[in-house]
Amino acid sequence: MSVKCSFEAFKARLHQPPSCRKQEVQADSYLLSKKRWDPISPGSGSGSVLVKLWIGVAQLVLLQCLPVKPVHPVCAVCLQMYYYRYDNPEVSCCYKYLMFSYNIIFWLAGAAFIAIGFWAWSEKGVLLDLTRVTQLHGFDPVWLVLVVGGVTFILGFAGCVGALRENICLLKFFSGVIGFIFFLELTVAVLAVVFQSQVREWINNFFLQNIKGYRDDIDLQNLIDSLQKMNHCCGAQEPNDWNLNVYFSCNGTHQSREKCGVPFSCCVPDPADSVLNTQCGYDVRNQQEKEWSEKIFVRGCIVALEEWLPRNLYTVAFIFIVISLLQMVGIYLARTLIADIEKVKFSH
């Protein structure tokens, strides 16, 4: 039985109940089996307003009540407009600019970290004499700032440019590095839980090594002072750990004024002091140990860290989850963009 697809037939069907919407599946099958034709595409020869209006009315009618029999070829032209977006894949602007916005923040943050790191080195004169980098006895916090800033800057650049230029290579690089960092974080977390004693020993040795270089680097000095003041601790395990520093050591014949003392960050703060007393730790360890607790903190910073972690376990877990979610969002956006770009290239 032939199917009439004239304009009058479509007008008549507008008044029919929508009882055959399920026949849309038959129309899908027919369209997939025929060569697609876009009636309003450039070069098709029919782009007038009248044709577009006729197609729009036909589309509405066919969606309301499709015939039970296979769709007539002329009707297939009308249905083509409904499925037009599936025949012309394109990169999603939403994902594209979400990816750009996501990475521009990290790109700028990475640039700021790098600038801060080089500024800190210039203040210490390292940029004028690069050999000073190898002369430090402890850990230079500027290295951490530069490494984090460099990685963040490179990833932000790859994500921004890869999204704007629709560059698959940069997007794959971005998602691959983020995935590697995520896997590395999980590995470190698992190893820290499994090998707790070894991690504790490593942190203790690291802290002692930096006590030796306390006076050699102003940034390291500020980092240790902040750690001791925030956690109300002194040394790695006890105040006597400061014997490892040549300026605070009670051993030897040096004439340092800080001999047998501790840094001011070990001192118990006095509410009556309106000005910071940086000499409060002088000669403290010349006194009897039972008197130390009145002037300085006697708890080691490793012990303080072990006590702090269980109390703030939920905070640490929350921070880890937020970082992981940000990384997974970045990977998802990158992989979605890659899929869209590859689909467009394949269609051409």
Side-chain angles (χ1 to χ4, degrees):
M1 183 179 76
S2 61
V3 180
K4 294 183 179 180
C5 287
S6 63
F7 184 75
E8 291 76 10
F10 288 142
K11 286 181 62 179
R13 290 187 183 180
L14 283 173
H15 302 285
Q16 295 180 3
S19 59
C20 50
R21 184 176 293 274
K22 63 182 180 179
Q23 303 301 329
E24 186 177 355
V25 178
Q26 294 183 358
D28 291 344
S29 302
Y30 181 83
L31 286 174
L32 291 174
S33 63
K34 298 295 180 181
K35 182 178 180 181
R36 307 289 179 86
W37 175 68
D38 181 7
I40 63 171
S41 62
S44 62
S46 56
S48 66
V49 177
L50 182 61
V51 173
K52 295 178 182 179
L53 179 62
W54 184 87
I55 290 174
V57 175
Q59 178 185 353
L60 291 174
V61 173
L62 289 175
L63 291 179
Q64 288 294 322
C65 186
L66 296 175
V68 177
K69 295 296 181 180
V71 183
H72 193 273
V74 179
C75 302
V77 175
C78 308
L79 280 173
Q80 175 70 16
M81 289 300 298
Y82 180 71
Y83 296 97
Y84 176 77
R85 61 192 180 96
Y86 297 106
D87 297 331
N88 296 271
E90 60 183 22
V91 178
S92 171
C93 288
C94 178
Y95 286 115
K96 181 177 180 177
Y97 290 107
L98 271 178
M99 181 72 176
F100 175 80
S101 303
Y102 173 88
N103 282 280
I104 192 66
I105 299 173
F106 293 101
W107 192 5
L108 296 176
F113 270 74
I114 293 174
I116 291 172
F118 280 111
W119 172 79
W121 267 358
S122 67
E123 289 292 311
K124 294 188 292 186
V126 174
L127 296 181
L128 299 177
D129 184 11
L130 294 178
T131 58
R132 295 184 58 180
V133 176
T134 60
Q135 296 173 359
L136 298 177
H137 298 290
F139 170 72
D140 187 358
V142 177
W143 276 113
L144 179 62
V145 174
L146 287 176
V147 170
V148 172
V151 173
T152 306
F153 180 85
I154 293 173
L155 288 176
F157 173 81
C160 287
V161 177
L164 289 179
R165 301 296 300 172
E166 298 177 7
N167 189 300
I168 293 179
C169 182
L170 288 176
L171 291 174
K172 285 185 176 180
F173 170 79
F174 172 83
S175 60
V177 174
I178 291 290
F180 174 77
I181 294 175
F182 178 71
F183 176 76
L184 193 62
E185 291 170 351
L186 287 178
T187 304
V188 170
V190 171
L191 291 178
V193 173
V194 175
F195 302 101
Q196 293 185 23
S197 59
Q198 289 87 339
V199 172
R200 186 183 300 109
E201 182 179 356
W202 179 83
I203 295 176
N204 183 74
N205 294 334
F206 180 75
F207 198 98
L208 293 176
Q209 183 65 29
N210 285 287
I211 284 178
K212 295 179 182 179
Y214 176 79
R215 289 299 189 196
D216 297 339
D217 184 74
I218 185 64
D219 293 319
L220 177 62
Q221 179 177 319
N222 291 334
L223 180 63
I224 294 177
D225 286 337
S226 299
L227 182 64
Q228 292 189 142
K229 285 192 293 185
M230 289 173 56
N231 294 281
H232 295 171
C233 60
C234 188
Q237 298 291 340
E238 58 178 355
N240 279 329
D241 290 335
W242 284 99
N243 277 327
L244 295 174
N245 187 281
V246 65
Y247 296 98
F248 296 96
S249 175
C250 294
N251 306 319
T253 58
H254 65 88
Q255 300 299 319
S256 171
R257 182 63 188 86
E258 296 173 317
K259 183 176 181 179
C260 282
V262 292
F264 72 94
S265 55
C266 288
C267 296
V268 177
D270 187 354
D273 291 340
S274 57
V275 179
L276 179 64
N277 181 10
T278 58
Q279 300 180 0
C280 59
Y282 286 7
D283 302 319
V284 169
R285 289 187 295 121
N286 277 329
Q287 304 173 11
Q288 297 182 359
E289 290 191 16
K290 62 182 180 181
E291 300 177 359
W292 290 1
S293 59
E294 299 176 1
K295 296 184 177 181
I296 63 173
F297 303 116
V298 295
R299 182 180 59 168
C301 291
I302 303 300
V303 178
L305 178 62
E306 293 175 348
E307 295 176 356
W308 176 88
L309 191 57
R311 294 198 308 266
N312 298 271
L313 189 60
Y314 289 109
T315 303
V316 175
F318 176 76
I319 294 174
F320 180 79
I321 291 173
V322 169
I323 294 175
S324 301
L325 286 176
L326 287 175
Q327 292 171 336
M328 286 188 285
V329 167
I331 294 174
Y332 170 76
L333 291 175
R335 299 309 301 182
T336 302
L337 267 181
I338 291 172
D340 284 356
I341 296 169
E342 289 178 341
K343 189 185 299 182
V344 170
K345 289 185 176 181
F346 179 77
S347 65
H348 292 305

